[in-house]
Amino acid sequence: MEIMDGRVATIHYTLTDDDGIVIDKSAPEAPLSYLHGAGNIVPGLEQALTGKQPGDTLTAEVPPELAYGPRHEQLVQQVARAAFPEGADISPGMQFEAHGDRGPLVVMVTEVGEAEVTIDGNHPLAGRTLHFAVEVAGVREPTADELSHGHVHGPGGAHD
C-alpha cells in the first residue's frame, strides 16, 4: 500500500540542518504516524512521501517555503520588562502566548535586558532549509474517527 491522501503513514525520520546537526528524530520504538494530506507535517516532506511504500527510504531537502515559511523580522520585538509580572523569572528560550492584532501567537524570549525583553514570534525553524532522512515503516487506511478528526489516534482511540 502506498502513501496517498487520506491514508495513515508511519515513518522513522531524522531532521538535520544545513550543517548536518540533528534537530529532531523519531525514537526507534516510537515512529511518527500522521494522516497524509491533512497538513499534519510540513508540506515539502508530505510531497516527498507521496507514493512511497513500507520499506522505502528517502532524503528530502525542504526549503523554508515548504516548511515553516520565511522569517519575518517584524515578529521580533522589544517589550518593556515592566510588561511582565513583577518578580517573574524570564529567561531566553521561554515560550508564552501573546495576544496580537491577529489573535494569539506563541512567542519565544530570545534576550533579557534590565529594561527590555526581546521576543520572537517566528517558528524556531522559520527561514531554514530542513533535511530529512526517512524510512517508511507502514501505511494503512485510517479509522473513521481519524479521518473525521484529521489526525491519527493512538492505541485504543486516544489522541497522540
Side-chain angles (χ1 to χ4, degrees):
M1 181 178 288
E2 71 180 34
I3 297 174
M4 59 186 277
D5 285 356
R7 288 191 175 151
V8 174
T10 301
I11 61 172
H12 291 283
Y13 71 92
T14 300
L15 168 61
T16 57
D17 65 12
D18 286 334
D19 297 322
I21 297 170
V22 175
I23 297 170
D24 191 21
K25 70 186 294 182
S26 57
E29 70 284 356
L32 171 69
S33 293
Y34 72 95
L35 183 61
H36 197 79
N40 299 155
I41 64 173
V42 295
L45 180 58
E46 192 167 65
Q47 290 172 10
L49 286 165
T50 300
K52 301 299 185 214
Q53 299 179 28
D56 286 351
T57 60
L58 69 131
T59 57
E61 184 174 296
V62 180
E65 303 76 44
L66 295 175
Y68 293 98
R71 277 192 57 78
H72 297 286
E73 290 310 313
Q74 68 270 27
L75 293 178
V76 177
Q77 298 180 1
Q78 302 281 327
V79 177
R81 179 71 172 85
F84 294 86
E86 190 174 330
D89 183 23
I90 301 167
S91 59
M94 290 179 66
Q95 292 185 332
F96 62 93
E97 188 174 286
H99 298 279
D101 297 339
R102 296 183 180 179
L105 174 69
V106 175
V107 298
M108 180 182 293
V109 174
T110 58
E111 207 174 309
V112 178
E114 287 201 28
E116 293 185 322
V117 175
T118 304
I119 59 172
D120 187 347
N122 287 288
H123 186 281
L125 297 176
R128 296 173 70 180
T129 297
L130 307 180
H131 304 269
F132 289 92
V134 181
E135 178 186 352
V136 179
V139 181
R140 66 171 173 82
E141 294 296 337
T143 65
D145 277 347
E146 289 172 331
L147 203 52
S148 71
H149 292 169
H151 60 258
V152 175
H153 293 176
H159 291 276
D160 280 349

